């Protein structure tokens, strides 16, 4: 917003934003790495269980509301959403079926490919139905069964006409925001680790996890990536699927690279 008000071009705005993201990611990664190296993972022992439970509950609620919004197109918080249309009922039925299978099958079949198989299977069935019913992709997208593709801007960024430029003065002026972001990420990381241990009935090595997350953040920032931290929901899905080794994360990283 500061750059836009000052009349900066597209290349400067995007370059500064990307530079800020990368810089903050590296700095926060260094902070988390140092916390782990100096064995400060025990800090999480001072966080009350209600705070950890509240975080888990809040995460679940946000995921639920996000799914509800996909179906009804509304937030679900006091808005009138009845009656649901036929398309919305079909969407709701598919989502409930996928959710049920993701909960039931991993308990019966302990294999890391169960949940990916469910997702891929539903994708194959969906497109098979479109093919049999001779429904094109635009029609499916119009009825809300596919995401709307964003419009591609004709403005090229990073070329000779709009080179990426970083305004370091603006980045330095935003250091209070970066500090707040660092505190939030560090606290969220540690609370998520505790929440994951609580949900999985385990006892993790917080110092080791902090060092691993810090090193990953630093590498991500150096390669132009963004902030991230431990994901409770994805880790629990990973565990329930029977994938209890590091190979799951390695496979996921490999697919992202591809």
């Amino acid at each position: 917003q500061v750059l836009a008000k000052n009349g900066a071009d597209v290349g400067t705005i995007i370059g500064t934003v990307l530079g800020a993201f990368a810089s903050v990611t590296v700095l926060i990664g260094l902070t988390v790495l140092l916390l782990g190296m100096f064995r400060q993972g025990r800090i999480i022992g001072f966080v009350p269980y209600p705070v950890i439970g509240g975080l888990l509950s809040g995460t679940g609620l946000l995921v639920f509301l996000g799914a509800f919004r996909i179906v009804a197109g509304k937030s679900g918080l006091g808005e009138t959403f009845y009656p649901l249309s036929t398309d919305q009922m079909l969407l709701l039925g598919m989502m409930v079926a996928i959710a049920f299978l993701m909960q039931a099958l991993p308990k019966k079949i302990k294999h890391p490919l169960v949940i990916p198989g469910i997702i891929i299977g539903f994708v194959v069935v969906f497109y098979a139905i479109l093919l049999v019913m001779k429904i094109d992709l635009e029609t499916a997208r119009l009825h809300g069964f596919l995401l709307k593709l964003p419009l591609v801007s004709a403005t090229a960024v990073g070329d000779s006409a709009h080179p990426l430029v970083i305004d370091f003065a603006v980045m330095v002026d935003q250091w209070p925001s970066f500090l707040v972001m660092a505190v939030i990420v560090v606290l969220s990381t540690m609370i998520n680790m505790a929440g994951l241990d609580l949900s999985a009935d385990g006892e993790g090595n917080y110092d080791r996890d902090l060092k691993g997350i810090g090193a990953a953040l630093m590498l991500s920032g150096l390669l132009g990536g963004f902030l991230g931290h431990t994901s409770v929901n994805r880790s629990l899905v990973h565990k329930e699927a029977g994938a209890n080794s590091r190979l799951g994360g390695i496979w996921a990283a490999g697919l992202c690279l591809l």
Side-chain angles (χ1 to χ4, degrees), residues 100-111 114-115 118 237 240-242:
F100 174 77
L101 289 176
M102 288 182 66
Q103 287 292 321
L105 282 186
K107 295 178 181 179
K108 301 292 184 180
I109 306 173
K110 292 295 183 181
H111 194 281
V114 171
I115 290 181
I118 294 172
V237 169
E240 289 297 323

Side-chain angles (χ1 to χ4, degrees), residues 36-47:
M37 292 178 65
F38 288 99
R39 301 183 181 278
Q40 295 303 307
R42 62 180 182 275
I43 295 174
I44 193 61
F46 296 97
V47 179

Side-chain angles (χ1 to χ4, degrees), residues 22 25-26 29-30 212-226:
T25 301
V26 172
L30 178 60
I213 294 171
L217 285 176
M218 291 181 67
L219 181 60
S220 173
L222 291 173
L223 295 177
F226 297 153

Side-chain angles (χ1 to χ4, degrees), residues 205-219:
N205 186 330
Y206 297 141
D207 294 324
R208 181 192 61 193
D209 291 343
L210 286 173
K211 287 187 284 187
I213 294 171
L217 285 176
M218 291 181 67
L219 181 60

Side-chain angles (χ1 to χ4, degrees), residues 83-116:
L84 294 176
S85 66
T86 302
D87 292 338
Q88 290 172 336
M89 291 296 292
L90 288 173
L91 278 171
L92 181 61
M94 292 177 62
M95 292 171 63
V96 170
I98 294 173
F100 174 77
L101 289 176
M102 288 182 66
Q103 287 292 321
L105 282 186
K107 295 178 181 179
K108 301 292 184 180
I109 306 173
K110 292 295 183 181
H111 194 281
L113 293 180
V114 171
I115 290 181

Side-chain angles (χ1 to χ4, degrees), residues 19-52:
F21 273 129
S23 301
V24 171
T25 301
V26 172
L27 292 175
I28 293 178
L30 178 60
T31 302
V32 175
L33 177 64
L34 291 175
L35 285 174
M37 292 178 65
F38 288 99
R39 301 183 181 278
Q40 295 303 307
R42 62 180 182 275
I43 295 174
I44 193 61
F46 296 97
V47 179
Y49 268 170
V51 175
I52 300 173

